[in-house]
Each structure stands twice: as C-alpha cells, then as structure tokens.
Amino acid sequence: MKTVWSYCRPYKISAAIALFFMIAELVVELVQPLLMAKIINNGIMVKNLEVVAIWGGIILALSLLGFLSGIMNTYYASHVSQSFGADIRKNVFEKVQSFSYAQFSLFAAGSLMTRLTNDVQQLQNTMFMGLRIMARAPLLIFGGLIMAFIVHPSLAVYLAVVVPCLFLFLVFFMGKGGRMFKVVQEKLDEVNNVMGENLAGMKLIRAFLRKSHEVSRFEDASEQLRKKTASVLQFMEISMPALLFLMNAATICILWFGNQEITVGTANVGEVVAVVNYATRITGSLSVLSFIIMAFSRSRASAARLNEVLNAPEEMEDHEDTFKIEAMRGDICFENVSFRYVGQSFSALDHVSFSLKAGCTMAILGSTGSGKSTLVNMIPRLYDPSEGRITIDGIDLREYDQRMLRRQIGLVPQEPLLFTGSVVENIRWGKRNASKEEVVKACKDAQIYETVMKLPQQMDTKIGQKGVNLSGGQRQRLSIARALVRKPRILLFDDSTSALDVKTEMELLQALKAYRGTKLIVTQKISTAIHADLIMLLQDGKKAAIGTHQELMESSALYREIIQSQGGERRSVYVEKANK
Ligand code: ADP
Ligand code: MG
C-alpha cells in the first residue's frame, strides 16, 4: 500500500539540507543564553568592557549565522513541501481519471475536490512546518532543559518538573483536537458538495423557484462548518492559558529561589538570567509544539482521506495478455448478464441474453428504470457484469485492452454533455485528428450541419459551459456527430433521439444506414424501433421479449400494448412510410 507520505521520497536530499540548517539555527539559539551569562558575569558585573565587546561580537556573528541558516532552511523547506504537494495532487488526479465509472460514483465530486485542494494544502503546510520547526520545538525544549541544568542544576529543577507534565498534557489535548478536525474536513466536503450541485443545476433551480431553498441548504452546511471549526479552535485555545500559567509559575519560582541563592552566594546573576532565558524559550517552543501536534493530527486526517483515493482498488485493471485488436467485426453477445449497482437491493439487469450480428441494428425498448442505460453503458465497460459475460466477436470484454475496445465504440450518452470549446473542438473530441471533411460529414449525418452553419462563427462558434446556448435537441445531435466522427464498429445511442422531431429523426436513421457498425439504439418510440433488425423489450431489468417487429406483433402482448399506447401499428408504419 502506497501512502501519501511516500511522495516525499524524491526530495530526501533537499529535506536533509533543510534539516541541517534547522539544526544549525537551533544550536545558535541554544548557546546564546550561555554566552549572555558569560557577558553578564565576566563583563557587566565586573565592568570589563573588553569581555562585553568580544562576546557581544561573537553573539552578533552567531545571530547572523542563525539568520542565514533560517533563510536557507525556509528555501529548502518550501521547495520540498510545494513539490511534495504538487506530486500528490497530480497522482490523486490521475488516479481519479483511472477510476472505473462505478468507482467514481462512490466518491462525491465535492469530496474529491476538497481532497485535491484543501487536504493536499494541509499536508503541504505540515510538511513545511515539519522541516522548518518540527524538530526545532522538541529539541529546543529538550536542549533548553539540558542547558539550564548545565548552567544551574538546582534552579533547573523547577523546569524539569513542569515541562514534562505540560508536554504530556499537550500531546493528549492536541491529539483530541486533531480528531475533531476530521469532522471539520467532512463538513467542508458538504459545503463543496452543495455548491457543486448548485452550480451544475442552476437552470433547474431557477425554473423551480428553489433559490431560497438552495440558499438555506448552503447556509445550513456553511453554518455547520462554522460551528465545528469554531468549537475545535475554542477547544484548542484552552491549552494556551494553561500552558502560560504553569510556565510563568515555574519562572517565578526560578526568580524567587534564584534571588535567595544569589544572596547566599550559591548562584550569580548571569546564571539566573540564563535559566530564566531558557524558561522563556521553552515556553515559546511549547506553544509552537502545540501547533505542530495539532497540524500533525489534522494532516493525519487529510492523509487518510487522500490515501483512500490513492489506494482505491483498480477493479478494471487490464490483464497482462489483453487482446490488442486493431479492428473488430462487431458481433455483440450478452450471456446471462446481471448487474447490481453498489448499495442497491435489486438488480438493474437480470440474466439478460441476446446476440446481435455485426452490422445489424437492435432497438431496445422499455420504460424508465428498466435498465436500458445500464445495458448500453456496459458495452464500453463503464460497468462490468456482476454475473454472466459480454462478448464481442466471441471474446469476453474483460479480455480486451480497454483503450482498444473503447476506440471501436461510439457512445451517445443519455445526457448529452458538451465541453467548453468550439463546435469543431467538441466533435474532434470523438476523434482527435479528424479532418475537416470528416467533421462536416459527421455533422451532416447527425442532421446538425445546417444548424451549425447558422451559428455566428459556424464550426468555430464557442459553446458555453455545458453548451448552454444550444437547445437540447441540438446538443443531442452534436454529441451524435461526436460519436459518428469516430466511424465506430459499435454505435450506442442511449435515448439520443428523444428530443428530435419525427422528420429529423427519420433522416438521421436513414443516414445511419451508411455506417457499417453494429448499432444499439435505446428508444421510447415504436416508430424508431420498427426499423431495427431486432427489437428487445426490457422490463425491470429482464428481457421481456426479443424479435423482429413482425415476430413481436405475433408473440408479445406487451409489445402490442406499447404499439397501441403510441397510436397503433398503422400510425407507426405510416410514419415509417411517410419518411421513406
Ligand atoms: P433506464 O435507462 O431504462 O431508464 P437505468 O439503466 O438508468 O434505466 O436504470 C436501471 C435501474 O438501475 C433503475 O432502477 C435505477 O434506479 C438504477 N440505477 C441507475 N443508475 C444507478 C446508479 N448510478 N446507482 C444506483 N442505481 C442506479
Ligand atoms: Mg436511461
């Protein structure tokens, strides 16, 4: 199992350099109070200016060294943390791209977004802090204690009692805080989710006058995030007064007893000042330490969330020895195929079998929810069967190289999604190197050419986000053109002609005849189905009937019923003839 932390491996050397400079800075900081003690005792107290000047100079030089070390450390620490974060982002993003469609639906889009931005940021910050101050705080605390003992053991005892207690207190406290941050991160997910859904469904929200409902939904999520964040921060804040109280108490003890020791002559002023100096530094470090522990437990939550994505099983990985076919005939065969969505109690497809010869057309009829889209989406392997198998040219889909397989398929999904860009870019999305002629041909066959020619910049007209400036039918036809330009061996239309008027639809079906591929056409309309070589009726995921129009007229009561409900056979046939 690969964890996010393993992404710092390429930056080992830079990290080591950063740590080196951190320690240099630390050493400078630790010897300073010792030198100060020297200046006070051997210089100021005995009025020896030369000693003051020499040691003062040394302190200045050391400070400069510490300052430079700090700069170098920051440089390397930011290099490591930024590169580390960028690598994680890239890998998580690539991993999401490699998800099967089924896996993708397991993560909410908003949550993936938070993970890619906020969680990565969290790790980046922790990594930076880690290299900048992580080891500094504990070392300074520990080193400060030792130095205080070296300077004056009996005064240092007060520190030795208070500091370990505070240390344990902080570890416990901040660990709990970190766990609270996990909830904060989840609330942030929710806010992102609400926002994402809202932006995607803006049109619907306006149409249904749901604006105020959406606003209150957002406020709800946002308020919960605020509350949780505030309560964690408040919880964290309690630690600071406790820390300061105890440390100040220790300092007062040192001053009090230090004063007595000076009077008896067992300590001098320089020593007391030095120990107090160490106490102050330790106090500072303890509060830094509390932040570090908090950041660490917080980033532990983030790391877990990123690991979840990075280590999601790759269910659809190709075998080693996949079939790398260049061209397929296109015989499609479903053998007892069942499929159940994750978390559903029923099967969306239930033991469906059929076979379709290459170049033939099959229409799939069925009410909404009968499993038509599911069936179609299984051919490019957006989902794999839970039971049974699907073959093309007699070979199980799972045996094919996925890229090769998908290259042979042109899918027009039920929801025609266009991308931001021009018309021609959207069509070339189907085939990157399609020539101008191919694009024009695809547009003509998809019955969208004339419409495109009427657009302000014709083929180069930009279509807005999700193609808002095109009608539903126009979008459908553009996504059909996108599939046709591939000249695929298998064409899948998932209710892709629903928004077309009868005449345009007939022209489209006519044009499709020139495409040699095997065609699966999902439709609600008998008039569309009648043309197919084979018609399958789906009902609740089961194959209710299959055959030609004539056969079904004779054998299937359900088929006759559908025909009746759509105006009878004569009307359908009439429509068919009228459009020939
Ligand atoms: P159709 O295209 O015929 O309208 P679908 O194939 O889309 O039907 O859906 C078949 C069944 O599977 C429906 O009951 C639907 O609720 C369910 N279903 C579809 N997509 C999902 C999904 N992503 N997760 C869970 N259930 C789903
Ligand atoms: Mg559907």
Side-chain angles (χ1 to χ4, degrees), residues 155-216:
L155 287 180
V157 164
Y158 303 104
L159 289 178
V161 173
V162 171
V163 170
C165 294
L166 272 177
F167 184 80
L168 290 179
F169 166 73
L170 285 181
V171 169
F172 160 78
F173 208 74
M174 296 299 151
K176 187 164 158 50
R179 283 190 293 281
M180 289 168 81
F181 267 118
K182 186 155 180 267
V183 184
V184 169
Q185 223 68 348
E186 282 161 11
K187 294 289 166 202
L188 189 64
D189 272 2
E190 272 170 39
V191 170
N192 274 347
N193 264 339
V194 172
M195 204 155 68
E197 271 181 27
N198 176 284
L199 296 180
M202 195 53 89
K203 199 192 279 172
L204 209 61
I205 292 162
R206 297 281 142 100
F208 277 72
L209 301 175
R210 298 292 278 177
K211 225 162 81 180
S212 56
H213 171 255
E214 282 294 305
V215 169
S216 73

Side-chain angles (χ1 to χ4, degrees), residues 334 354 361-367 370-373 375-376 379 492-493 495 519-525 529 532 534-538:
F334 273 55
F354 68 84
T361 303
M362 180 164 93
I364 303 172
L365 276 172
S367 51
S370 57
K372 305 183 297 293
S373 295
L375 187 150
V376 163
I379 295 175
L492 306 170
F493 278 31
D495 221 351
K519 297 164 204 118
L520 252 75
I521 299 181
V522 169
T523 179
Q524 308 267 4
K525 291 183 265 186
L534 202 61
I535 300 169
M536 179 163 72
L537 280 187
L538 274 182

Side-chain angles (χ1 to χ4, degrees), residues 90-109:
K90 175 166 163 282
N91 279 282
V92 171
F93 189 78
E94 275 171 7
K95 176 77 188 198
V96 171
Q97 300 310 305
S98 82
F99 273 2
S100 70
Y101 190 71
Q103 262 177 323
F104 179 73
S105 5
L106 291 184
F107 292 94

Side-chain angles (χ1 to χ4, degrees), residues 92-295:
V92 171
F93 189 78
E94 275 171 7
K95 176 77 188 198
V96 171
Q97 300 310 305
S98 82
F99 273 2
S100 70
Y101 190 71
Q103 262 177 323
F104 179 73
S105 5
L106 291 184
F107 292 94
S111 162
L112 285 176
M113 217 112 88
T114 325
R115 287 171 212 233
L116 270 167
T117 50
N118 194 281
D119 283 317
V120 172
Q121 179 84 46
Q122 210 67 252
L123 290 191
Q124 249 170 356
N125 290 350
T126 306
M127 175 60 72
F128 179 77
M129 254 200 339
L131 290 175
R132 182 80 190 94
I133 49 178
M134 171 188 62
R136 237 169 81 96
L139 284 182
L140 209 85
I141 295 167
F142 195 64
L145 268 180
I146 292 177
M147 293 300 276
F149 265 100
I150 292 174
V151 174
H152 201 286
S154 68
L155 287 180
V157 164
Y158 303 104
L159 289 178
V161 173
V162 171
V163 170
C165 294
L166 272 177
F167 184 80
L168 290 179
F169 166 73
L170 285 181
V171 169
F172 160 78
F173 208 74
M174 296 299 151
K176 187 164 158 50
R179 283 190 293 281
M180 289 168 81
F181 267 118
K182 186 155 180 267
V183 184
V184 169
Q185 223 68 348
E186 282 161 11
K187 294 289 166 202
L188 189 64
D189 272 2
E190 272 170 39
V191 170
N192 274 347
N193 264 339
V194 172
M195 204 155 68
E197 271 181 27
N198 176 284
L199 296 180
M202 195 53 89
K203 199 192 279 172
L204 209 61
I205 292 162
R206 297 281 142 100
F208 277 72
L209 301 175
R210 298 292 278 177
K211 225 162 81 180
S212 56
H213 171 255
E214 282 294 305
V215 169
S216 73
R217 205 159 78 99
F218 183 80
E219 276 172 0
D220 240 29
S222 173
E223 174 63 14
Q224 281 190 32
L225 174 64
R226 185 195 67 76
K227 265 198 208 140
K228 281 283 170 227
T229 315
S231 69
V232 185
L233 292 180
Q234 281 155 6
F235 175 78
M236 295 292 184
E237 276 309 308
I238 305 173
S239 67
M240 218 26 73
L243 189 148
L244 289 180
F245 175 77
L246 282 176
M247 280 311 288
N248 286 338
T251 311
I252 289 171
C253 286
I254 295 167
L255 283 173
W256 178 266
F257 293 105
N259 183 34
Q260 290 183 354
E261 297 224 13
I262 291 173
T263 329
V264 222
T266 48
N268 53 45
V269 177
E271 284 166 350
V272 177
V273 171
V275 175
V276 169
N277 203 330
Y278 282 121
T280 332
R281 278 163 204 258
I282 290 174
T283 312
S285 295
L286 276 170
S287 61
V288 170
L289 186 74
S290 71
F291 275 109
I292 294 174
I293 299 171
M294 186 168 84

Side-chain angles (χ1 to χ4, degrees), residues 527-540:
S527 55
T528 312
I530 268 180
H531 299 272
D533 302 307
L534 202 61
I535 300 169
M536 179 163 72
L537 280 187
L538 274 182
Q539 199 176 23
D540 300 330

